[in-house]
């Protein structure tokens, strides 16, 4: 008797999900490599330029980052936590392109109104906008757990940014041309890496999600309505982080801001690790939530918080011991000294608190609790502004660091209060 064949199942593709540890490793490699390259850019500017150039560069990022992050509307998070495919990818891309164009208009208006260094601010704003467009493609990769391709795109972007910025600054001694190198690197990465890498996932559903899904009928307006609370929250959060920088620039000028930025970029190592953990957690937590397994959701979240807490404590200890000498060795004598070491230690504490916020944000986003995050971040912004007003004028760079810690502590406490209701 001949066995019956079933053509529909004979060639069914199998889907092998990368391990959690493997994805964290790739995420750390990508985020770590990218952050290292961003820090190397700052080292290049500090070594080939002046503290004022470092300050101008940091100011350009401080102006462009909140605007672009607000315009991002956290669409990547919405995309990753949309396993049922309620909106097609082309809709996410359309909204992101329009939002980046609007962001550039706002940055241009800020340059005119506040009389900022136009060339540097506009070019670094363009770099952030190009990164924002590439980011939505990376969100599609993240939804399919492809952290390896994400890491490759980040490493290309970082490497090109260092190479082009260093070459142009060395050849021209102009911080404007250095900013142009950053913009060119982001544009090349979007066109040559992010879009091609994500192309194989266009219109392909995740095989681990239910087959009977529906597409939201709200169109672009429906997507905007879903993303707006979280997008506003992210923009407000970025503004909160940069408030001490604005205060330093106002009271003490670009040189003081350059010293603060040099210490701040050094603690990016912690942010890299915490961000990598949160990015890898997010799709897993979203699936646990969608599958109705609250015990697994809580267990994974608590494990991540404990790990982040231990890593943060070790980082603060290391900064207290080695911070001053490390700053002097990396940047030069202008960036060292006992006070600079204290600034680095305080900023490391802020980074540790921020790491807990990364994990809590992943939990809130996985639970699709977008609205509450806006209220929390607005409160954090108010605390950050009050802290900057009270501390920066009196204590300078160290006051800016403590204002950052105060905002981070309030942020962490409020996010935990909101998430507890969802557990």
């Amino acid at each position: 008797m001949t066995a019956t064949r079933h053509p529909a199942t004979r060639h069914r593709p199998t889907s092998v999900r990368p391990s959690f540890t493997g994805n964290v490793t790739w995420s750390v490699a990508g985020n770590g490599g990218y952050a290292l390259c961003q820090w190397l850019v700052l080292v290049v500017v500090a070594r080939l330029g002046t503290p004022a150039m470092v300050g101008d560069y940091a100011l350009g990022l401080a102006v462009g980052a909140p605007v672009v992050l607000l315009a991002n509307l956290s669409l990547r998070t919405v995309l990753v936590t949309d396993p049922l495919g309620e909106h097609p990818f082309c809709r996410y891309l359309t909204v992101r392109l329009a939002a980046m164009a609007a962001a550039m208009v706002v940055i241009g208006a800020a340059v005119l109104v506040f009389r900022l260094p136009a060339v540097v601010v506009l070019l670094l704003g363009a770099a952030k906008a190009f990164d924002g467009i590439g980011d939505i493609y990376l969100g599609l990769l993240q939804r399919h757990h492809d952290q390896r391709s994400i890491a490759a795109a980040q490493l290309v972007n970082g490497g090109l940014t260092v190479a082009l910025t260093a070459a142009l600054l060395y050849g021209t001694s102009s911080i404007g041309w250095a900013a142009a190198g950053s913009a060119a690197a982001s544009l090349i990465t979007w066109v040559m890496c992010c879009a091609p890498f994500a192309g194989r996932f266009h219109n392909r559903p995740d095989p681990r999600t239910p087959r009977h899904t529906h597409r939201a009928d709200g169109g672009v307006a429906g997507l905007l309505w879903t993303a707006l609370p979280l997008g506003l929250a992210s923009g407000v959060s970025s503004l909160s982080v940069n408030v001490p920088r604005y205060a330093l620039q106002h009271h003490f000028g670009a040189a003081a801001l350059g010293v603060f930025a040099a210490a701040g970029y050094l603690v990016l190592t912690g942010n890299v690790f915490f961000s990598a953990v949160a990015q890898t957690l997010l799709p897993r937590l979203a699936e646990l939530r969608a599958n109705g397994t609250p015990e697994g959701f809580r267990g994974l979240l608590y494990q991540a918080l404990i790990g982040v807490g231990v890593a943060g404590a070790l980082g603060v200890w290391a900064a207290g011991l080695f911070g001053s000498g490390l700053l002097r060795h990396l940047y030069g004598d202008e960036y060292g000294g006992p006070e600079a070491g204290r600034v680095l230690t305080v900023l490391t504490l802020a980074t540790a608190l921020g790491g807990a916020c990364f994990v809590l944000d992943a939990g809130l986003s996985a639970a699709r609790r977008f609205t509450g995050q806006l209220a929390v971040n607005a409160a954090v912004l108010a605390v950050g502004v009050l802290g900057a007003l009270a501390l920066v004028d009196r204590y300078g760079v160290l006051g800016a660091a403590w204002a950052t810690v105060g905002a981070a502590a309030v942020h962490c406490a409020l996010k935990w209060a909101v998430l507890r209701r969802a557990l």
Side-chain angles (χ1 to χ4, degrees):
M1 184 174 179
T2 304
T4 303
R5 294 184 180 271
H6 300 280
T9 60
R10 182 175 53 188
H11 300 294
R12 179 177 294 174
T14 60
S15 177
V16 179
R17 172 186 291 180
S19 68
F20 182 81
T21 302
N23 264 342
V24 169
T25 301
W26 278 113
S27 187
V28 169
N31 284 282
Y34 182 72
L36 174 63
C37 290
Q38 294 294 340
W39 170 72
L40 287 174
V41 168
L42 197 74
V43 173
V44 165
V45 176
R47 290 292 187 179
L48 298 180
T50 64
M53 284 186 178
V54 175
D56 284 342
Y57 194 89
L59 180 62
L61 295 176
V63 172
V67 175
V68 170
L69 193 58
L70 176 61
N72 275 345
L73 293 174
S74 289
L75 284 179
R76 175 172 171 175
T77 299
V78 178
L79 172 61
V80 173
T81 58
D82 180 21
L84 301 182
E86 294 183 350
H87 298 277
F89 176 73
C90 62
R91 186 174 296 160
Y92 287 96
L93 180 59
T94 299
V95 173
R96 179 57 62 86
L97 288 168
M100 292 302 98
M104 288 306 302
V105 173
V106 172
I107 293 172
V111 167
L112 294 175
V113 172
F114 298 105
R115 298 180 180 179
L116 303 174
V119 174
V120 176
V121 172
L122 287 173
L123 285 171
L124 290 178
K128 289 295 181 182
F130 293 146
D131 286 340
I133 298 170
D135 174 75
I136 200 65
Y137 290 99
L138 300 186
L140 185 59
L141 293 168
Q142 185 181 354
R143 188 167 76 177
H144 289 269
H145 303 274
D146 188 2
Q147 293 292 149
R148 181 168 58 180
S149 295
I150 295 173
Q154 290 175 310
L155 293 173
V156 169
N157 193 357
L160 282 174
T161 301
V162 173
L164 293 177
T165 300
L168 290 170
L169 183 58
Y170 180 79
T172 67
S173 299
S174 167
I175 191 64
W177 276 106
S182 179
S186 296
L187 176 60
I188 292 170
T189 303
W190 158 32
V191 175
M192 302 299 294
C193 292
C194 298
F197 289 169
R200 65 187 186 277
F201 292 120
H202 285 186
N203 300 317
R204 182 193 297 184
D206 191 324
R208 291 172 293 275
T209 59
R211 291 181 177 273
H212 300 289
T213 62
H214 79 281
R215 289 292 174 91
D217 57 6
V220 170
L223 178 57
L224 288 173
W225 183 254
T226 300
L228 188 60
L230 185 59
L232 291 174
S234 298
V236 170
S237 178
S238 179
L239 186 61
S240 301
V241 170
N242 285 291
V243 162
R245 297 172 184 252
Y246 303 146
L248 273 176
Q249 170 72 21
H250 175 72
H251 289 293
F252 298 99
L257 177 56
V259 173
F260 182 82
Y265 267 82
L266 197 56
V267 299
L268 277 179
T269 305
N271 277 337
V272 166
F273 173 74
F274 300 140
S275 176
V277 171
Q279 286 180 14
T280 307
L281 277 175
L282 180 56
R284 300 296 175 93
L285 288 172
E287 290 174 3
L288 289 170
R289 187 76 176 187
N291 293 335
T293 53
E295 295 83 5
F297 182 93
R298 287 194 296 267
L300 185 58
L301 189 69
Y302 291 152
Q303 290 174 23
L305 285 172
I306 292 171
V308 163
V310 172
L314 291 174
V316 173
W317 171 76
L321 285 180
F322 309 112
S324 179
L326 185 60
L327 286 169
R328 185 182 298 107
H329 178 73
L330 292 173
Y331 297 116
D333 292 338
E334 293 174 296
Y335 299 89
E339 183 177 0
R342 289 192 291 271
V343 169
L344 180 61
T345 303
V346 174
L347 287 178
T348 305
L349 175 59
T351 300
L353 292 168
C357 288
F358 273 119
V359 175
L360 295 172
D361 280 338
L364 286 167
S365 297
R368 306 214 107 192
R369 296 297 180 96
F370 299 147
T371 304
Q373 297 192 49
L374 175 57
V376 168
N377 288 358
V380 173
L381 175 60
V383 171
V385 170
L386 292 175
L389 290 174
L391 298 174
V392 172
D393 188 27
R394 185 173 181 180
Y395 299 105
V397 178
L398 186 60
W402 277 113
T404 304
V405 169
V410 172
H411 194 187
C412 190
L414 292 178
K415 284 289 174 74
W416 170 247
V418 173
L419 183 58
R420 284 187 64 185
R421 300 176 185 175
L423 294 178

